[in-house]
Amino acid sequence: MLRVGLIGWRGMVGSVLLERMREEKDFSGIELIFFSTSNAGGAAPAEAGGASLRDASNLRELAACDVLISCQGGEYTSEVYAPLRQSGWKGYWIDAASTLRMSDESIIILDPVNSSLIEQGLARGVKTYAGGNCTVSLMLMAVGALFQAGLVEWLTSMTYQAASGAGAAKMIELVRQMRHLANAAQKSPSENALDLDRTLISAQRGASLPTEEFGAPLAGSLLPWIDKEMPGGQTREEWKGMAEGNKILGLHPPVPIDGICVRIGTMRCHSQALCIKLAKNVPLEEIEQHIAGANPWVRVVPNNKESSLRCLTPTAVSGTLQVPIGRLRKLNLGPQYLGAFTVGDQLLWGAAEPLRRMLGILRRHLES
Ligand code: HSE
């Protein structure tokens, strides 16, 4: 029986992964080993069949697994992956972290978009598979088909990213900030809009708003900077668009992708406004057909107010696997310029879902 080790299953992405694996009954027919970085010997979930938690820093225990799935984060991957490989371990490493994404020995997994690259990788013995950046994966779930049809000359993505992308502690702080502002508004003696605005701004700027995580007020505001600074004025989150996007699609030469990544006060859905320079003037209906036929999760939302407000918002999409894309229209810039808006749950397609699907692909490959 295939021995599959799980590391980081208690964290947010790991919890969503476990939930999805339970829903899809992914555990049948495998031996599941739960690892812990802090509680080795403790009680593991029922799927461990009574076995206790193993030590996630013990290379020998890790190496006894055929497959390791890590949601533990980049620091763990940096500490453990290389020594594990150096020890001679030839198993499959499936990782949510960004550490190994751009390595030559890895494939970035997003099988509704790049299943052929994954299959080719398995056939030539690639053993390392990394989930992509959430924004990039969600963008390609929506418009990957346009790249694959050779219709994209370049793309800009202006993002509206949820707190969850930065981790569970950030989500909690966002809610604390909301609570703080709601309390301030409640105490306001006036219902006049300008009075309320003054009350809120003073609460947002006040020293008692919790900002330890974000370093700034997010509730009722936004943060136009995500991740580290890169050369040329980009942030690392912005850099990933072109680097990871082209690697996922296997495009040579790469298609230019760039934009501005912004954190907004939503919990777990990332949204993106796209501007695509088409390689030729393709009718809108044809573009919609390419998009709608790409995978079972993408939905073309009619470009009208009612449909957009009902289907194309984080509130509508949160907790689902759907990737709606709407506001599709040719921009005033010219007939080769396409505008679009897309939304997706960053914990599902943006993080956990490609990992559990990779385990399924791998199992089918090993059984064939
Ligand atoms: N870096 C992303 C974010 C998370 O901060 O929203 C998913 O890769």
Side-chain angles (χ1 to χ4, degrees):
M1 205 183 273
L2 198 69
R3 286 171 61 86
V4 179
L6 277 182
I7 311 123
W9 49 276
R10 228 194 288 262
M12 192 161 59
V13 171
S15 303
V16 174
L17 176 67
L18 266 191
E19 203 174 286
R20 284 290 298 136
M21 292 179 88
R22 284 182 180 131
E23 271 168 24
E24 299 291 338
K25 306 202 179 355
D26 290 342
F27 297 132
S28 67
I30 56 175
E31 185 186 346
L32 204 57
I33 297 118
F34 288 84
F35 285 88
S36 171
T37 52
S38 55
N39 189 26
E47 286 86 356
S52 54
L53 295 174
R54 307 289 172 88
D55 181 0
S57 58
N58 184 322
L59 294 186
R60 208 168 33 80
E61 298 221 39
L62 291 167
C65 295
D66 304 301
V67 183
L68 289 168
I69 305 180
S70 174
C71 298
Q72 184 67 33
E75 219 169 289
Y76 177 77
T77 302
S78 301
E79 277 164 23
V80 162
Y81 177 80
L84 190 60
R85 287 290 188 219
Q86 278 151 18
S87 77
W89 182 66
K90 298 267 184 326
Y92 292 90
W93 178 272
I94 303 175
D95 200 336
S98 64
T99 321
L100 301 168
R101 279 181 203 153
M102 296 311 295
S103 150
D104 287 343
E105 69 189 82
S106 78
I107 287 181
I108 305 182
I109 45 176
L110 187 65
D111 68 278
V113 174
N114 70 349
S115 61
S116 56
L117 281 189
I118 296 170
E119 296 291 352
Q120 286 162 23
L122 285 169
R124 62 168 203 276
V126 173
K127 296 287 176 70
T128 305
Y129 295 86
N133 167 267
C134 46
T135 319
V136 179
S137 295
L138 291 169
M139 189 249 291
L140 292 183
M141 286 296 289
V143 296
L146 299 183
F147 286 91
Q148 285 162 331
L151 291 177
V152 182
E153 189 176 316
W154 52 251
L155 176 147
T156 71
S157 165
M158 301 301 176
T159 74
Y160 305 75
Q161 295 184 220
S164 58
K170 302 281 194 299
M171 293 171 82
I172 295 166
E173 183 168 280
L174 171 61
V175 175
R176 285 204 184 119
Q177 290 190 357
M178 288 174 176
R179 234 183 252 142
H180 185 88
L181 299 188
N183 286 340
Q186 220 162 16
K187 284 185 204 139
S188 162
S190 167
E191 279 293 301
N192 173 284
L194 289 177
D195 288 343
L196 281 171
D197 175 56
R198 272 187 283 274
T199 303
L200 281 197
I201 276 292
S202 127
Q204 283 174 311
R205 292 177 182 161
S208 50
L209 185 83
T211 55
E212 294 76 17
E213 291 292 331
F214 284 113
L218 176 61
S221 187
L222 57 78
L223 306 174
W225 189 280
I226 297 178
D227 211 338
K228 299 187 191 78
E229 185 171 356
M230 297 288 282
Q234 269 185 324
T235 65
R236 194 166 157 75
E237 187 74 0
E238 290 152 5
W239 170 83
K240 287 174 181 174
M242 181 155 171
E244 292 188 22
N246 280 283
K247 182 169 176 182
I248 291 171
L249 292 162
L251 294 178
H252 308 284
V255 170
I257 299 173
D258 207 346
I260 294 179
C261 291
V262 177
R263 186 80 64 204
I264 60 156
T266 52
M267 288 297 270
R268 57 183 278 182
C269 269
H270 283 2
S271 307
Q272 307 181 55
L274 308 178
C275 172
I276 298 174
K277 167 90 189 286
L278 296 165
K280 56 184 181 191
N281 179 9
V282 187
L284 198 54
E285 302 73 54
E286 204 178 299
I287 289 167
E288 290 183 353
Q289 280 164 15
H290 273 295
I291 293 174
N295 63 64
W297 299 276
V298 66
R299 296 264 147 88
V300 172
V301 176
N303 185 20
N304 61 55
K305 181 176 178 182
E306 195 275 326
S307 304
S308 303
L309 297 190
R310 186 162 47 84
C311 309
L312 200 55
T313 66
T315 307
V317 174
S318 185
T320 79
L321 286 162
Q322 288 174 21
V323 183
I325 173 166
R327 301 308 327 277
L328 280 156
R329 66 184 180 90
K330 294 293 185 73
L331 299 172
N332 281 344
L333 307 172
Q336 282 179 240
Y337 294 84
L338 176 73
F341 189 83
T342 181
V343 185
D345 187 312
Q346 76 87 217
L347 290 173
L348 288 166
W349 278 119
E353 196 63 10
L355 305 189
R356 64 156 285 275
R357 291 175 64 86
M358 184 62 215
L359 180 62
I361 294 168
L362 179 57
R363 289 179 71 179
R364 288 191 290 280
H365 168 79
L366 295 173
E367 281 158 18
S368 67

